[in-house]
């Protein structure tokens, strides 16, 4: 089995770091391109009385630059292993964005961790990972 373009969903969590490590090994074995994507969720309005558009914009900018830092670190990890990865930040719902990125860029494998930054410790499978397994057009590797 061989993969041409591997997509890793990277949210900076320990679990996504582990997924990245596995994806790097696979990419080396298969000679695949490696794409590392981080998705920033839009600001959630729930339970907040009033917040100005400027504050929302500020918040979203911070989230994007935080994700850019994660991706820079991920790219360096890949670089150390001799893989020149493509990185990209997208905004939206994580599973949806990862799926459309994979479709648009012809990725043939999606690699994610089983948990991310948001979940409870007891959770075995986060919602992003679960939705990818259920709905993605590509094979999905959930790293534990
Ligand atoms: N925003 C994101 N951008 C890129 N990849 C992500 C993102 N969120 C999750 N992933 C990928 O999916 C894996 C599983 O995370 P997931 O979001 O499913 O679990 P969780 O955060 O623990 O739970 P939940 O999001 O349901 O509260 C992560 O290890 C990472 O590989
Ligand atoms: Mg999550």
């Amino acid at each position: 089995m061989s993969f041409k373009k591997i997509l890793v969903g990277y949210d900076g969590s320990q679990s996504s770091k582990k997924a990245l490590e596995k994806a790097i090994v696979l990419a080396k074995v298969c000679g695949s391109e490696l794409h590392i994507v981080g998705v920033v969720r839009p600001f959630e309005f729930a339970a907040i009385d009033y917040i100005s558009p400027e504050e929302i914009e500020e918040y979203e900018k911070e989230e994007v630059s935080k994700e850019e830092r994660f991706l820079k670190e991920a790219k360096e990890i890949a670089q150390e292993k001799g893989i020149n990865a493509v990185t990209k930040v997208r905004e939206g719902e994580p599973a949806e964005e990862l799926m459309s990125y994979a479709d648009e860029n012809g990725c043939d494998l999606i690699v994610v961790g089983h948990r991310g930054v948001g979940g409870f410790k007891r959770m075995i499978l986060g919602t992003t990972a679960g939705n990818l397994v259920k709905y993605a057009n590509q094979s999905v590797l959930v790293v534990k």
Side-chain angles (χ1 to χ4, degrees), residues 8-20 36-41 67 71 88 90 92-95 97-98 110-121 123-132 141-143:
V8 186
Y10 195 76
D11 61 2
S13 63
Q14 271 311 111
S15 188
S16 71
K17 212 165 263 179
K18 217 169 148 186
L20 173 67
I36 311 169
V37 172
V39 184
V40 175
R41 283 174 192 277
E67 189 57 53
L71 291 181
K88 179 85 187 158
R90 307 241 318 199
E93 199 285 314
E97 291 303 318
L98 291 172
I110 304 175
V111 183
V112 287
H114 70 119
R115 284 196 318 232
V117 282
F120 298 103
K121 280 225 162 69
M123 259 216 317
I124 285 170
L125 192 66
T127 48
T128 310
N131 284 333
L132 287 169
L141 172 62
V142 180
V143 176

Side-chain angles (χ1 to χ4, degrees), residues 11 22-23 32 45 47 58 64 73 77 83 102 120 126 134 141-142 144:
D11 61 2
K22 295 283 179 202
S32 346
F45 285 88
E58 184 63 24
V64 169
E73 162 197 290
I77 294 172
I83 300 273
F120 298 103
K134 274 194 217 155
L141 172 62
V142 180
K144 285 195 173 177

Side-chain angles (χ1 to χ4, degrees), residues 33-64:
E33 271 182 29
L34 187 66
H35 293 240
I36 311 169
V37 172
V39 184
V40 175
R41 283 174 192 277
F43 186 82
E44 309 260 356
F45 285 88
I48 291 174
D49 284 342
Y50 178 75
I51 189 151
S52 69
E54 291 78 19
E55 281 171 302
I56 293 173
E57 199 177 311
E58 184 63 24
Y59 169 86
E60 288 182 344
K61 262 195 207 144
E62 269 172 33
E63 289 297 297
V64 169

Side-chain angles (χ1 to χ4, degrees), residues 96-112:
E96 272 174 31
E97 291 303 318
L98 291 172
M99 285 190 271
S100 49
Y101 185 95
D103 290 341
E104 287 161 20
N105 293 279
C107 299
D108 48 6
L109 178 71
I110 304 175
V111 183
V112 287

